[in-house]
Amino acid sequence: MSATTYNPFENAQIQFDAIAENLGLESGMRELLRQPMKEIHFTIPVKMDDGSTKVFQAFRIRHNNARGPGKGGIRFHPHETADTVRALAMWMTWKCAVVDIPLGGGKGGIICDPQTLSKSELEKLCRGYVRKIWNQIGHEIDIPAPDMGSNAQCMLWMMDEYETIVAGHYPGVITGKPVGMGGSLGRTEATGFGVIYTLKDLLRYMNIPIGTTTASIQGFGNVAEYAAQMYTELGGKVIAVSCWNQADKTAYTFKKSGGCNIAELVKIKDSFGSIDKTKAQSLGYEILHGDDWIKQEVDILIPAALENQITPAVFPNISKKVKVICEAANGPTTPDCDKLIKERGIEMLPDFLCNAGGVTCSYFEQVQCNMNYFWDKAEVLEKLEYSMTKAFRAVYDLAKEKNIYMRDAAYIIAINRVANAVKLRGWA
Ligand code: GLU
């Protein structure tokens, strides 16, 4: 699970540069789009439960707002860096553009291990984040959301802090809030379900019935859980799930050749996605090394954890049976490995298309907040599937028409849309 040798921001720039060259973008446009427009680096002092003060480093980075206000989650992770947040912010710009929602790209990060914080320390951290950047966020400026390590409760504390500072009701300042408090039904499931909406469509085009397929998943947080749930409901079999174990500070792969029971695994995981080893063993799961998820003889690999997980070093471990890589995580594949995946002819569902369900539903959440009228879950999910399918088909059609890799097709669509907005505004 090492992510140390690759820099995600360099990866994001390598991907952008290749497409910018292909599209013949002018140098000013390239310079503007290959870096963030705004960065805020700050510290958050938190009075810990033991009376000491701990100072946390934090970021909010806006990559581009030509198509609308910045949008993107806040990741709480011990290995967060400015460059990871820069990459994630840039990918958010392409993500919002590929699904054609009127938003730009942004991302936040706090260097912390949320699993080691008490509830009150976490609340202080969330409120402290907003106290430092409240005048740089807002429904017309930049709208945060949950990401790895943060959740609906964190978003609500953040919204409450913002509303306290500005003295009013502004539910559109943040998305991913709890249902009943300005949140949208379906938002919790949206990213994972969105992953499977695109996978389902791709398999249909490949003439492979989803019910005959098997998958191996890396990660068991929010995205993986709901992707696994929908995939198994459609008849697919999840053979293995790999996740981090906080107690042992290591990752394990939980395997059941006959297929994992997702509901059963959910019952024995904590809120951060760690599965209880002893309980899993007693339920008949084989416990393998954390990296073994990628070696499984399955049709589909679903990386749903961190960036830089599928590299040339691990590529030889991918079984010849694998037909699709479905990137539920952001940036799980390194650009040098994309070449190998292309050569082997594995279909790639690229991250910023495949996992765009979360931000699409965040957009729906904002629309509902603006109207102060909330849709039922079926309506949200129907709109979500429509948006995801429409975006997927545009990418797939372009990839087939030009005989190119799906990541490149997604980039062409997204970069063209953003570059157009930049041009129309007269920025470049
Ligand atoms: N953090 C999610 C992502 O990476 C969702 C962002 C949002 O809802 O704004 O797409």
Side-chain angles (χ1 to χ4, degrees):
M1 296 263 281
S2 159
T4 48
T5 45
Y6 289 91
N7 177 328
F9 185 48
E10 277 170 27
N11 290 349
Q13 289 188 317
I14 290 170
Q15 292 169 340
F16 169 77
D17 290 343
I19 305 297
E21 183 65 26
N22 174 303
L23 292 175
L25 292 189
E26 286 155 17
S27 63
M29 179 73 81
R30 288 190 203 195
E31 203 179 328
L32 183 67
L33 296 184
R34 74 190 302 281
Q35 60 187 325
M37 296 180 78
K38 184 162 196 143
E39 297 200 358
I40 314 166
H41 296 210
F42 53 105
T43 52
I44 310 168
V46 172
K47 243 318 171 293
M48 305 298 278
D49 293 349
D50 66 3
S52 67
T53 296
K54 198 163 172 184
V55 180
F56 295 89
Q57 304 287 326
F59 314 93
R60 185 72 196 172
I61 295 182
R62 211 176 309 148
H63 172 256
N64 190 277
N65 60 2
R67 285 175 45 87
K71 183 84 193 84
I74 305 172
R75 206 159 74 150
F76 291 44
H77 198 273
H79 302 136
E80 200 61 278
T81 65
D83 271 345
T84 342
V85 183
R86 286 184 184 114
L88 292 163
M90 191 162 171
W91 286 325
M92 283 309 301
T93 302
W94 315 136
K95 196 179 295 192
C96 293
V98 85
V99 285
D100 209 8
I101 53 178
L103 294 164
K107 201 81 176 195
I110 305 179
I111 306 177
C112 69
D113 185 351
Q115 303 202 44
T116 61
L117 299 175
S118 71
K119 193 171 175 196
S120 89
E121 290 165 346
L122 188 62
E123 176 175 352
K124 287 181 202 163
L125 185 62
C126 291
R127 290 183 183 276
Y129 188 91
V130 170
R131 270 204 297 277
K132 288 291 179 85
I133 58 156
W134 67 273
N135 58 352
Q136 298 293 329
I137 57 172
H139 70 282
E140 289 163 337
I141 307 173
D142 184 6
I143 308 118
D147 202 281
M148 190 176 272
S150 56
N151 56 27
Q153 173 66 76
C154 297
M155 298 305 110
L156 191 63
W157 285 323
M158 289 182 171
M159 182 195 81
D160 184 67
E161 190 65 26
Y162 181 84
E163 291 188 339
T164 306
I165 294 168
V166 301
H169 276 286
Y170 294 94
V173 66
I174 210 155
T175 60
K177 304 178 294 294
V179 171
M181 296 300 298
S184 172
L185 285 163
R187 177 62 186 84
T188 310
E189 300 89 339
T191 314
F193 281 9
V195 167
I196 304 304
Y197 293 147
T198 55
L199 174 67
K200 188 172 78 169
D201 243 29
L202 172 65
L203 292 174
R204 191 180 305 132
Y205 284 124
M206 294 170 75
N207 284 319
I208 303 173
I210 195 164
T212 64
T213 63
T214 52
S216 177
I217 305 183
Q218 185 194 32
F220 205 50
N222 166 274
V223 180
E225 174 184 333
Y226 288 102
Q229 190 201 92
M230 173 162 286
Y231 174 69
T232 48
E233 268 167 23
L234 293 172
K237 252 191 218 166
V238 175
I239 300 299
V241 169
S242 142
C243 66
W244 181 251
N245 184 289
Q246 181 68 11
D248 298 356
K249 301 246 178 300
T250 182
Y252 297 104
T253 297
F254 298 86
K255 178 173 178 180
K256 220 180 218 181
S257 303
C260 303
N261 178 333
I262 302 305
E264 172 183 272
L265 284 180
V266 168
K267 275 197 207 129
I268 59 165
K269 81 161 189 168
D270 65 21
S271 62
F272 297 97
S274 290
I275 293 173
D276 188 309
K277 243 170 64 190
T278 324
K279 287 185 185 155
Q281 228 150 9
S282 70
L283 289 168
Y285 286 85
E286 233 182 295
I287 302 187
L288 311 171
H289 190 276
D291 295 339
D292 286 358
W293 74 280
I294 207 167
K295 300 179 182 163
Q296 303 307 311
E297 280 219 7
V298 290
D299 304 293
I300 302 152
L301 290 177
I302 309 182
L306 282 173
E307 55 281 347
N308 297 336
Q309 299 301 302
I310 306 187
T311 63
V314 302
F315 181 78
N317 295 336
I318 297 179
S319 151
K320 295 279 186 294
K321 186 173 160 64
V322 171
K323 299 173 190 72
V324 178
I325 296 177
C326 187
E327 292 188 322
N330 290 311
T333 308
T334 56
D336 50 3
C337 197
D338 267 332
K339 290 189 191 117
L340 305 174
I341 294 168
K342 259 187 241 182
E343 273 164 29
R344 216 200 257 180
I346 299 173
E347 290 282 5
M348 166 63 73
L349 270 172
D351 52 359
F352 66 86
L353 165 69
C354 176
N355 70 28
V359 75
T360 304
C361 197
S362 277
Y363 166 60
F364 296 157
E365 180 175 330
Q366 282 197 295
V367 172
Q368 294 170 81
C369 284
N370 289 343
M371 296 187 297
N372 203 12
Y373 172 73
F374 289 83
W375 309 329
D376 64 26
K377 193 167 174 178
E379 188 172 352
V380 174
L381 294 181
E382 189 188 318
K383 286 183 165 65
L384 181 66
E385 183 162 9
Y386 173 78
S387 298
M388 294 300 293
T389 303
K390 191 170 157 210
F392 165 76
R393 290 194 182 159
V395 170
Y396 183 85
D397 288 348
L398 183 67
K400 292 301 148 196
E401 180 198 318
K402 295 201 178 299
N403 192 23
I404 54 176
Y405 196 49
M406 258 198 284
R407 189 189 311 287
D408 295 343
Y411 262 118
I412 289 174
I413 292 174
I415 293 176
N416 260 329
R417 284 186 181 149
V418 178
N420 252 339
V422 166
K423 228 184 253 162
L424 286 170
R425 282 179 184 274
W427 292 349

